[in-house]
Amino acid sequence: MKFERIGMRTIKTAFAVSMTIWISNIFKIRSPFFAGIAAIIAMQTSVSESLSIGKNRMFGTVLGAVVALLFSSFAPENIVSIGIGIVIIIYICNVFGWKKSIQLSAMVFLSIILNFQEGSRFNYALYRTLDTLIGLVIGTLINYFIVPPNVEGKINEMIEKTYSEFKKMIESIIYECKKPSLEELKKHLINMEESYNVLKKDMRLHLSKKQNTYDYNWIFTAFDNIYSNLKILLSMKKLPNINEVNREALKRVFNKEISYTNDGNLDELDLIYNYHLSELLKGLDSIDKALLKVEKLSQ
């Protein structure tokens, strides 16, 4: 049986829930359960994501509560009015771009309409909103002040891993004449860019404690170019003649010679192959240099 290491996010989530329950008890919060859930949801992989999730949850809670109170005051409680209420909630969320709030808002609406008597609905809606707010605030503050998520460190690890995967793939194509799949590499590129978008949000909101963040845009562009050139190489069915310039470049990168010989007669496909191989190797070299710069900045 393999035991996984307990991560910092797990520890922070447990601490956030404990703190939320403790504060809820101090202030006599009626539903610490909902406050605890909000604290769990607030513990995201970045502080900007915590704020985004928290915003969606608050919008959903408030909207669901308001619609439920209005319907309980002016409309009869039956299956028709409940259906109309759900339609209104979904429509409002779509109009204001709160699509991630739809499910929660509908659940809050139903919980107020179906589970509480008329006289207690307002109090329940108010306390439910306050419970959610307390949990979100505590969870987000803990996520920011206690070992904040190192998004940039995660990006650097992903870049190094993707760089290594590209090299392995090129080596298998050139030296082993294989045709590997590019599907996993494409996933790596997408994940890296998503993480970088999160980092940029943190920086815009001044939520990243590190202010000298490296500009990764051109690295991702270089990876995309390598991917495109690699795709073209894999689409070519013949075993190409590799020119001397590319042979020397490959030797520098992989520290070994190509086993098959070059007969010196390069046809049109060979020229195309060597062009894209050259571009691919230039991209690898530029990323290698960029990684050294990133390493110096992080020291």
Side-chain angles (χ1 to χ4, degrees):
M1 182 178 177
K2 184 180 178 181
F3 291 94
E4 295 289 340
R5 182 176 65 89
I6 298 176
M8 181 52 64
R9 185 180 173 187
T10 302
I11 295 172
K12 291 201 299 182
T13 301
F15 181 63
V17 172
S18 298
M19 285 292 296
T20 301
I21 301 300
W22 179 62
I23 291 174
S24 296
N25 290 333
I26 290 177
F27 290 98
K28 310 293 185 185
I29 298 297
R30 294 193 178 186
S31 301
F33 170 76
F34 294 113
I37 290 176
I40 293 171
I41 291 172
M43 197 57 60
Q44 298 296 314
T45 54
S46 77
V47 182
S48 63
E49 285 185 323
S50 292
L51 289 175
S52 178
I53 292 292
K55 179 185 69 175
N56 291 330
R57 191 166 182 84
M58 282 306 302
F59 284 161
T61 301
V62 172
L63 177 61
V66 169
V67 174
L69 291 175
L70 289 175
F71 265 69
S72 62
S73 301
F74 301 109
E77 184 182 317
N78 55 46
I79 58 174
V80 175
S81 64
I82 290 174
I84 294 172
I86 295 295
V87 169
I88 291 174
I89 285 172
I90 295 174
Y91 178 78
I92 292 174
C93 287
N94 285 327
V95 167
F96 288 98
W98 302 343
K99 293 186 178 181
K100 294 182 179 180
S101 304
I102 290 175
Q103 291 182 331
L104 176 63
S105 187
M107 287 189 287
V108 172
F109 170 79
L110 288 175
S111 66
I112 295 173
I113 288 289
L114 297 178
N115 296 331
F116 286 84
Q117 299 299 320
E118 186 175 346
S120 63
R121 282 176 178 160
F122 178 80
N123 288 337
Y124 174 75
L126 177 62
Y127 290 129
R128 179 70 187 272
T129 303
L130 291 175
D131 295 342
T132 300
L133 179 61
I134 289 171
L136 292 174
V137 169
I138 293 173
T140 302
L141 289 175
I142 289 175
N143 201 24
Y144 178 73
F145 286 107
I146 301 180
V147 193
N150 185 7
V151 181
E152 187 166 9
K154 179 183 175 182
I155 293 172
N156 291 339
E157 290 177 5
M158 295 171 78
I159 289 174
E160 290 178 5
K161 182 178 179 181
T162 305
Y163 173 75
S164 177
E165 289 297 318
F166 266 118
K167 285 187 66 175
K168 288 179 183 177
M169 185 166 290
I170 295 165
E171 186 175 15
S172 70
I173 293 170
I174 301 297
Y175 293 93
E176 301 170 20
C177 300
K178 293 182 178 179
K179 298 282 187 179
S181 170
L182 294 178
E183 187 176 344
E184 284 300 315
L185 274 176
K186 189 62 178 177
K187 290 179 181 177
H188 286 320
L189 295 178
I190 292 171
N191 290 336
M192 275 194 303
E193 294 203 36
E194 287 177 349
S195 295
Y196 186 43
N197 288 333
V198 170
L199 178 62
K200 287 190 289 187
K201 287 180 183 177
D202 278 6
M203 294 299 296
R204 284 197 298 268
L205 296 172
H206 304 289
L207 298 174
S208 175
K209 289 185 176 293
K210 186 173 181 179
Q211 298 303 315
N212 297 321
T213 300
Y214 189 78
D215 182 7
Y216 295 95
N217 281 309
W218 77 269
I219 293 184
F220 298 141
T221 301
F223 270 132
D224 285 336
N225 290 334
I226 292 173
Y227 179 86
S228 298
N229 286 299
L230 197 55
K231 195 172 181 179
I232 293 172
L233 295 188
L234 287 171
S235 70
M236 300 177 71
K237 296 180 179 180
K238 66 168 286 185
L239 184 66
N241 283 319
I242 297 177
N243 63 31
E244 291 303 318
V245 174
N246 283 336
R247 283 174 176 267
E248 288 299 319
L250 287 166
K251 185 178 179 180
R252 287 194 298 272
V253 174
F254 298 103
N255 198 29
K256 59 181 178 180
E257 300 278 0
I258 298 174
S259 59
Y260 48 92
T261 59
N262 181 358
D263 61 13
N265 298 317
L266 303 181
D267 61 21
E268 187 176 353
L269 282 177
D270 292 327
L271 293 174
I272 294 172
Y273 192 98
N274 277 282
Y275 169 77
H276 290 288
L277 179 58
S278 174
E279 292 298 304
L280 187 155
L281 293 171
K282 288 177 184 176
L284 276 183
D285 184 60
S286 65
I287 291 174
D288 187 39
K289 292 176 181 177
L291 288 173
L292 292 176
K293 291 180 181 179
V294 171
E295 187 178 347
K296 289 180 181 178
L297 280 175
S298 61
Q299 289 175 350

